[in-house]
Amino acid sequence: MTTPPPTIEAVLTAIGPCVVACSGGIDSMLLACVAHRLAPQTTVIAHAVSPAVPAEATQRVHDYAAREGWTLRIVRSGEFGDENYLANPVHRCYFCKSNLYESLAAIAQGMAGAGTIVSGTNVDDLGEYRPGLNAAAERQVRHPWVEAGYAKEDIRARARSLGLSIAELPASPCLASRLYSGTRVTPTRLAAVEAAEALVRSQTGLGVVRCRVRGETMLIETPAEGRALVTPSLLEEVARLVTNLTPEIAGVQLDDKPYQPGRAFAVPA
């Protein structure tokens, strides 16, 4: 008989004092909620701010921290001072996570008994190319959802059971994920992406919008059923917005294909 995985509470109890790397997405937000409610005195929630982090994600973290009474630490992880990250190679996430976990290690070491860094990685993530997991392994970062056998839908179900508003939160990776591999990461490109996505969502009512940048072109992706909502006039409006924000983007188009997660990411063969 196969032994069932431990509960998330058992995993977190075994880990002890921890620093939750909280991006503002559902996986890390729920982990922060569960860990803090289980052991508020020995749980620190850490959120990194940078040009790659959507402002709405940071606001969400602040809102939940105030509501839940988290011990919240805001950090600047320093990836924008790392040329390896800015060049946007296929393993960009390795450099991003390396900088993040180095920043969080200082917080963990300052906790009584030394804390463990934990991430919101779930079982589904293990089937994808995620170089950030290598950075985590190098720094002994733990993944409680994986240890408890939780996939994305299990996490959503748990959030629903707790009545949390994040239960249906659409996936929204960092803004740098909108830049095709090899397109340099710059604050102005990321600001244009964030502004363009907000505009398209507000005009169409779509929950999932990706404004990806390949070279000097911004490509708007929506689910198949939403493509007709991205009208020529909306494309013109987005183009005016982004070209005013940065000269690095010269044109805006509706992508030839519907939304596909991770399309900008050139996965190694």
Side-chain angles (χ1 to χ4, degrees):
M1 180 180 294
T2 303
T3 303
T7 65
I8 187 64
E9 288 82 5
V11 170
L12 289 167
T13 297
I15 290 173
C18 66
V19 178
V20 182
C22 185
S23 67
I26 180 175
D27 302 336
S28 60
M29 288 287 290
L30 181 60
L31 183 63
C33 287
V34 173
H36 177 264
R37 291 181 182 186
L38 182 67
Q41 300 305 315
T42 56
T43 301
V44 174
I45 315 302
H47 176 69
V49 294
S50 84
V53 177
E56 63 181 6
T58 297
Q59 186 60 54
R60 188 179 305 118
V61 171
H62 279 292
D63 291 345
Y64 265 72
R67 192 182 81 180
E68 297 282 324
W70 292 348
T71 299
L72 177 64
R73 296 286 298 275
I74 301 297
V75 301
R76 292 190 178 276
S77 52
E79 70 272 24
F80 276 76
D82 185 348
E83 179 58 34
N84 292 311
Y85 169 85
L86 296 175
N88 197 14
V90 67
H91 57 315
R92 179 199 69 244
C93 293
Y94 171 81
F95 300 108
C96 175
K97 295 299 186 184
S98 293
N99 281 281
L100 171 64
Y101 295 141
E102 287 296 327
S103 297
L104 301 193
I107 298 174
Q109 291 165 6
M111 298 176 70
T116 298
I117 301 170
V118 298
S119 87
T121 299
N122 66 66
V123 170
D124 292 337
D125 297 329
L126 302 183
E128 303 173 357
Y129 175 69
R130 288 186 175 250
L133 292 175
N134 295 331
E138 291 171 359
R139 292 159 180 81
Q140 292 78 54
V141 175
R142 299 276 292 271
H143 310 300
W145 292 130
V146 173
E147 295 181 39
Y150 275 64
K152 174 71 79 173
E153 282 308 312
D154 301 316
I155 292 170
R156 291 196 186 280
R158 181 62 183 271
R160 290 184 199 109
S161 74
L162 295 175
L164 298 177
S165 60
I166 55 174
E168 311 307 328
L169 189 66
S172 184
C174 79
L175 295 171
S177 70
R178 306 330 194 243
L179 306 184
Y180 273 75
S181 295
T183 298
R184 187 174 179 82
V185 180
T186 67
T188 50
R189 282 192 175 106
L190 300 182
V193 165
E194 184 171 23
E197 290 187 358
L199 174 59
V200 175
R201 286 196 303 268
S202 70
Q203 294 290 335
T204 64
L206 294 170
V208 176
V209 174
R210 295 290 184 270
C211 292
R212 306 199 194 274
V213 180
R214 184 171 60 199
E216 295 184 341
T217 302
M218 176 175 283
L219 301 168
I220 300 177
E221 291 181 27
T222 74
E225 63 275 15
R227 288 170 57 78
L229 299 174
V230 183
T231 61
S233 62
L234 178 54
L235 287 173
E236 291 176 5
E237 188 175 354
V238 174
R240 285 194 297 272
L241 173 68
V242 301
T243 54
N244 283 334
L245 289 171
T246 175
E248 297 167 321
I249 298 173
V252 176
Q253 303 173 13
L254 178 64
D255 199 289
D256 291 338
K257 299 177 181 178
Y259 163 71
Q260 177 183 325
R263 177 171 290 152
F265 195 53
V267 178

